């Protein structure tokens, strides 16, 4: 008997090897695609990061605007003045009227150090100068006769080192006085009668006071109801239409100033002006 060896299944082996090779290629291809995808993503992300890095310094290096830089010079002055003021408008009115018997305030203004009424300062300086000259003439050595060696002021007014309220106060007969009040302590620094008033002028002033049925406090309230803020000035006078009004200056939180005109008889608002400086 002749023995024939069993033929090998070469087709099956070849197909198996082809499938294995195909699978290896598929794995390799997937790995390559994954690597390429990651590289592409990394490149894109790196580009975006680089662009952001260049943009960030441009934003962060820009200096932030300072709150003070946005204020005008006038607004900065008002801010500084109000920050150092302790005595409010209404307290200043009460103190000023108390310094003159039967007096009524017709004008009041908050001023910084050394900004008191020019006429009053000039009058006091002239009187002091005349007094000093007389003393020097009388003294053989030319020295002041004052024991302290200083010239005495006729009004006895000390020098204010901080802000002050300067008021015009009118007595019942129409005589006007200037009263200076320390805006920090509330102390009266000076109370002096205006020496340049004649009888006719006093009469007109007294008549104006009689027509002003609205008090300074009432005028200030009407003004701040219209424009919110702090009262820094008030003046009784006639407007362009010959109507007697209280002109009230009000400083808002942004330190802009608004002038509100209040009818001195009815208390109604007759005008308003905003100073943007």
């Amino acid at each position: 008997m002749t023995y024939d060896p069993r033929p090998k299944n070469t087709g099956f082996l070849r197909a198996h090897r082809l499938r294995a090779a195909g699978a290896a290629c598929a794995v390799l291809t997937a790995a390559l695609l994954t690597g390429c995808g990651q590289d592409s993503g990394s490149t894109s992300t790196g580009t975006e990061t680089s662009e952001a890095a260049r943009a960030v310094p441009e934003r962060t290096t820009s200096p932030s605007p300072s709150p003070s830089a946005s204020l005008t010079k006038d607004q900065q002055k008002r801010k500084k003045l109000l920050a150092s003021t302790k005595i409010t408008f209404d307290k200043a009115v009460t103190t000023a009227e108390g310094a003159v018997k039967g007096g009524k305030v017709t004008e009041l203004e908050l001023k910084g150090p050394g900004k008191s009424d020019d006429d009053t300062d000039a009058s006091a300086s002239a009187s002091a100068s005349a007094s000093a000259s007389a003393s020097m003439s009388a003294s053989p050595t030319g020295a002041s006769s004052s024991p302290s060696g200083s010239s005495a002021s006729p009004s006895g007014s000390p020098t204010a080192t901080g802000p002050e309220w300067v008021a015009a106060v009118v007595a019942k007969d129409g005589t006007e006085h200037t009263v200076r009040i320390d805006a920090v302590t509330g102390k009266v620094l000076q109370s002096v009668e205006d020496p340049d008033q004649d009888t006719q002028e006093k009469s007109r002033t007294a008549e104006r006071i009689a027509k002003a049925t609205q008090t300074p406090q009432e005028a200030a309230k009407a003004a701040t109801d219209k424009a919110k803020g702090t009262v820094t000035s008030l003046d009784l006078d006639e407007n362009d239409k010959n109507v007697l009004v209280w002109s009230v200056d009000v400083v808002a939180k942004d330190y802009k100033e608004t002038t509100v005109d209040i009818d001195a008889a009815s208390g109604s608002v007759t005008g308003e002006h905003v100073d943007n400086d």
Side-chain angles (χ1 to χ4, degrees):
M1 172 182 286
T2 304
Y3 177 77
D4 295 328
R6 188 175 182 178
K8 296 179 180 180
N9 193 349
T10 58
F12 173 78
L13 293 175
R14 187 180 295 110
H16 181 73
R17 284 195 295 270
L18 289 175
R19 285 196 297 271
C25 289
V27 171
L28 180 59
T29 301
L32 290 173
L33 289 174
T34 302
C36 292
Q38 290 175 346
D39 291 342
S40 175
S42 300
T43 302
S44 175
T45 303
T47 302
E48 293 176 357
T49 303
S50 178
E51 292 294 334
R54 286 196 297 268
V56 167
E58 294 179 0
R59 292 194 299 267
T60 55
T61 54
S62 299
S64 302
S66 172
S68 298
S70 62
L71 299 177
T72 65
K73 289 183 178 180
D74 287 343
Q75 289 170 344
Q76 290 178 21
K77 288 179 181 178
R78 295 177 193 129
K79 179 180 179 180
K80 183 178 180 180
L81 183 60
L82 289 175
S84 59
T85 298
K86 305 300 181 184
I87 302 301
T88 58
F89 165 83
D90 53 339
K91 290 182 179 179
V93 170
T94 302
T95 302
E97 291 183 340
V100 178
K101 186 177 180 180
K104 298 292 183 183
V105 166
T106 59
E107 185 177 350
L108 182 67
E109 183 177 0
L110 179 63
K111 297 185 178 183
K115 301 294 184 181
S116 57
D117 187 78
D118 294 337
D119 293 337
T120 303
D121 290 345
S123 176
S125 298
S127 299
S129 178
S131 176
S133 298
S135 298
M136 291 180 66
S137 299
S139 173
T141 60
S144 172
S145 60
S146 172
S148 61
S150 60
S151 299
S153 170
S155 58
S157 59
T159 301
T161 58
E164 58 183 82
W165 290 100
V166 181
V169 184
V170 178
K172 290 182 178 180
D173 63 352
T175 303
E176 186 174 289
H177 297 72
T178 297
V179 180
R180 292 171 49 225
I181 301 167
D182 191 309
V184 177
T185 64
K187 180 181 178 181
V188 174
L189 300 173
Q190 181 186 45
S191 180
V192 58
E193 180 181 330
D194 184 355
D196 298 327
Q197 300 174 92
D198 56 27
T199 304
Q200 187 177 4
E201 186 177 357
K202 290 180 181 181
S203 178
R204 285 198 303 266
T205 303
E207 184 180 352
R208 180 180 294 178
I209 286 291
K211 290 180 179 179
T213 56
Q214 294 291 309
T215 66
Q217 293 90 336
E218 290 171 337
K221 184 180 184 307
T224 51
D225 285 344
K226 180 66 176 178
K228 302 299 181 182
T230 303
V231 174
T232 59
S233 176
L234 178 145
D235 183 26
L236 180 64
D237 203 354
E238 293 180 352
N239 62 11
D240 296 338
K241 298 180 180 179
N242 295 322
V243 176
L244 188 64
V245 298
W246 288 104
S247 290
V248 185
D249 288 342
V250 182
V251 177
K253 289 183 178 180
D254 58 2
Y255 301 103
K256 291 182 180 180
E257 184 178 77
T258 300
T259 300
V260 184
D261 288 344
I262 306 297
D263 190 306
S266 67
S268 60
V269 176
T270 62
E272 180 180 2
H273 172 73
V274 179
D275 183 0
N276 291 314
D277 292 335

